[in-house]
Amino acid sequence: MDHAPVAFEPYILVGSFLMLAGIIAGKVGTRFGVPALLLFLITGMLFGSAGLGIQYNDTNKTQFVGMIALTVILFFGGFETKLKEMRAVLGPGIMLSTVGVILTTLCLGGFFYGMDLMGWAPVHFTFPIALLLAATMSSTDSASVFALLRSKNMHLKEGLRPILELESGSNDPMAYMLTIALIQYITGGTDGSWGSILVTFLLQFSVGGLMGYIFGRITPAILNKADIGNGALYPILLLCFVFLTFSATSLLHGNGYLAVYIMGVLVGNKKLVHKKSIETFFDGLTWLLQISLFIILGLFVDAHSLLPITGFAVLAGLFMIFVARPLAVQLCLIFFPSISMRGRSFLSWVGLRGAVPIIFATYPMMSQVEGAETLFNIVYVITLLSLLIQGSTLPAVARFLGLDEEVKVKVSHFGVEIPQYTGAKMVERTVTSKMLREGNKLMELDLKEEELVILVRRKENYMVPKGKLELEVGDILLIVFEQNTEQSA
């Protein structure tokens, strides 16, 4: 029996229209200080079953898209992390991403359980289920934090930005392990002992850390020696290694998210061929995945089902923002007096939730945990509240606490780069009248012996730097020199 071919064009049309609508909403919202990621979620909701009527309720596909997106986001977050900056904040960052997650889970879980005992909870919370709900909300969302810091170009005093990046990149694996362990405990997937859960934790951490380290070491060597010939294929080759690291680690019962983050840190701090094109590729891919994920999550939720639990979820969200997160931060940073009270206050405020808690909230649904749909809706409303309150006020709070420094963005006038592995570096230097005192010819400039001018820009024109070229004040020189040479611009 012949079947009519499936028409995919309508799906492509709707998908591209959704993406376009989300990007436009994000651009407009950013002007008013509203996080773009929040508007991507709302865009999905407006087009969903309670809005324009697009029906989407596939938990498997949502979880799969979330896994792919989170893998790339965590890798690129690690890739952009500077190891020198990270070493200085390793202690507080690791404390926040491990002990901080556990403290947040216990504090928020206790709140949920207490609300149930007082009869104010929308569904019955046993203590394990209360902890499970809290565990899904226990990590700051790396996608949201990385996106906000990048879009606002924020430079924070006291080394707070590396702490935030390290925490948000490395606490998702911890929250994931807590969520999975509690689901196994609730559904009887373990022998019922906390000892078996502890063994699972140790296995996830050790295998995830080891695999991340191994692939983080071998990947740069393979990339630099691949000699593919087509520079556009290097980012794709690296993407293959990212997914290989995640999948191989997961098959060995390790934490794939931890592995790709560690791999990203190690790869990003190595000399790589075509590193600039790799960064550009992953930056665009990360944004594409973030937008797609937030819109899909917006489509996935049934807005009508949010109304009955909104009051409870808002109260829980406020408790998380003003009590659970600050308490966890203060306790974690007791042994780090170098971080001022202003810095701790800001770290407490940037406990931003985003797509990751919503993705983690789909795991109880997949495992048939009692009341899982209600748990998902609570997480969704808390995430909206966190993005709206914390995400919108992040720059203002940094300024209020005196922690934000304005940084002038360096603009390249040439748009070219030298691969890191060559050991060379480039600087751009503007010609001044002082430089032309001994003569206005290029060969008469007082340059260091190791410096070589490779291009000259005069307004919108570019000139080959011959020795007899007559320079003018305002010309821009592109100078190359060995990277280990002491250089002052």
Side-chain angles (χ1 to χ4, degrees):
M1 186 178 198
D2 293 333
H3 296 279
V6 178
F8 292 104
E9 290 83 358
Y11 296 101
I12 297 173
L13 177 64
V14 171
S16 58
F17 186 75
L18 275 170
M19 189 75 69
L20 183 61
I23 292 172
I24 293 172
K27 182 175 178 60
V28 173
T30 302
R31 292 183 178 179
F32 297 97
V34 181
L37 298 178
L38 171 62
L39 293 170
F40 297 147
L41 273 177
I42 294 174
T43 299
M45 292 175 65
L46 290 175
F47 283 85
S49 56
L52 296 182
I54 297 178
Q55 299 294 325
Y56 175 79
N57 56 5
D58 195 319
T59 307
N60 281 319
K61 289 179 181 176
T62 302
Q63 204 173 87
F64 177 74
V65 172
M67 180 185 69
I68 296 296
L70 187 55
T71 299
V72 175
I73 289 166
L74 283 174
F75 167 79
F76 190 54
F79 188 90
E80 287 197 310
T81 301
K82 302 294 183 288
L83 208 51
K84 289 181 180 178
E85 295 178 356
M86 183 191 289
R87 286 195 185 102
V89 299
L90 204 56
I94 295 298
M95 279 292 289
L96 287 170
S97 65
T98 53
V99 178
V101 168
I102 294 173
L103 290 175
T104 303
T105 299
L106 291 174
C107 186
L108 193 55
F111 172 83
F112 289 134
Y113 188 58
M115 294 289 281
D116 179 75
L117 292 178
M118 290 186 288
W120 294 351
V123 291
H124 174 55
F125 290 130
T126 63
F127 188 58
I129 288 181
L131 285 178
L132 172 60
L133 176 56
T136 62
M137 299 295 305
S138 60
S139 70
T140 56
D141 184 29
S142 54
S144 302
V145 172
F146 289 143
L148 271 173
L149 291 177
R150 200 178 297 123
S151 63
K152 301 294 183 184
N153 192 35
M154 294 187 67
H155 182 76
L156 301 169
K157 300 176 182 177
E158 300 186 19
L160 295 180
R161 178 164 177 155
I163 295 177
L164 282 172
E165 291 179 341
L166 176 57
E167 181 201 5
S168 64
S170 58
N171 65 5
D172 290 339
M174 185 69 183
Y176 171 78
M177 285 187 285
L178 271 178
T179 301
I180 297 302
L182 285 165
I183 288 174
Q184 290 177 344
Y185 182 81
I186 292 167
T187 59
T190 66
D191 60 13
S193 70
W194 291 103
S196 63
I197 292 177
L198 180 60
V199 170
T200 302
F201 262 68
L202 292 175
L203 183 65
Q204 287 257 317
F205 262 113
S206 56
V207 174
L210 180 62
M211 292 292 283
Y213 179 81
I214 291 172
F215 277 97
R217 289 297 184 190
I218 66 174
T219 301
I222 294 174
L223 282 173
N224 290 334
K225 294 180 180 179
D227 194 21
I228 298 175
N230 185 347
L233 293 178
Y234 282 88
I236 299 172
L237 178 61
L238 180 54
L239 182 63
C240 292
F241 273 103
V242 172
F243 289 125
L244 177 61
T245 303
F246 177 82
S247 55
T249 304
S250 299
L251 289 172
L252 293 173
H253 304 289
N255 192 305
Y257 297 121
L258 178 63
V260 294
Y261 179 73
I262 292 174
M263 175 200 177
V265 172
L266 294 175
V267 173
N269 284 274
K270 290 287 186 180
K271 294 178 180 180
L272 298 175
V273 293
H274 303 289
K275 190 169 188 178
K276 184 66 177 177
S277 61
I278 287 173
E279 289 175 345
T280 303
F281 173 84
F282 274 94
D283 192 21
L285 180 62
T286 299
W287 271 109
L288 174 63
L289 290 172
Q290 282 178 181
I291 295 171
S292 302
L293 177 59
F294 274 73
I295 290 176
I296 287 173
L297 290 173
L299 289 172
F300 181 75
V301 71
D302 180 6
H304 293 307
S305 64
L306 299 179
L307 295 177
I309 54 87
T310 296
F312 175 82
V314 167
L315 186 61
L318 293 174
F319 180 85
M320 180 192 72
I321 293 170
F322 293 103
V323 180
R325 168 71 179 181
L327 181 62
V329 169
Q330 294 296 336
L331 290 174
C332 285
L333 299 181
I334 285 177
F335 301 106
F336 302 97
S338 60
I339 301 175
S340 68
M341 187 54 67
R342 290 185 307 160
R344 297 181 190 199
S345 300
F346 185 75
L347 291 173
S348 299
W349 188 250
V350 194
L352 206 64
R353 269 59 184 176
V356 173
I358 302 175
I359 295 168
F360 287 170
T362 63
Y363 284 88
M365 297 174 70
M366 294 288 293
S367 302
Q368 313 278 304
V369 173
E370 185 179 355
E373 289 79 7
T374 303
L375 301 185
F376 178 87
N377 291 333
I378 292 171
V379 170
Y380 198 94
V381 173
I382 292 176
T383 298
L384 288 175
L385 187 72
S386 175
L387 283 170
L388 181 62
I389 295 178
Q390 294 170 294
S392 300
T393 58
L394 191 146
V397 170
R399 287 192 295 270
F400 174 76
L401 294 171
L403 295 169
D404 187 24
E405 289 181 340
E406 186 177 349
V407 179
K408 292 183 179 180
V409 181
K410 274 191 169 184
V411 179
S412 172
H413 296 89
F414 294 89
V416 296
E417 65 163 332
I418 290 182
Q420 276 191 338
Y421 66 89
T422 62
K425 188 176 180 181
M426 288 191 301
V427 293
E428 297 175 15
R429 189 175 302 161
T430 302
V431 175
T432 63
S433 56
K434 183 180 178 181
M435 295 169 63
L436 301 179
R437 283 179 183 173
E438 302 299 325
N440 66 344
K441 291 186 172 63
L442 179 60
M443 61 184 181
E444 294 172 331
L445 281 187
D446 184 20
L447 297 173
K448 293 182 179 180
E449 184 179 350
E450 62 273 5
E451 291 181 336
L452 177 67
V453 179
I454 61 174
L455 201 59
V456 178
R457 174 170 174 166
R458 180 173 298 161
K459 295 182 180 178
E460 298 303 319
N461 299 316
Y462 295 87
M463 295 170 286
V464 177
K466 296 179 181 178
K468 293 183 179 181
L469 176 65
E470 294 185 354
L471 300 174
E472 297 178 3
V473 174
D475 287 351
I476 301 171
L477 310 178
L478 183 62
I479 301 172
V480 65
F481 59 94
E482 288 186 8
Q483 198 162 5
N484 58 0
T485 304
E486 293 295 329
Q487 181 72 14
S488 60

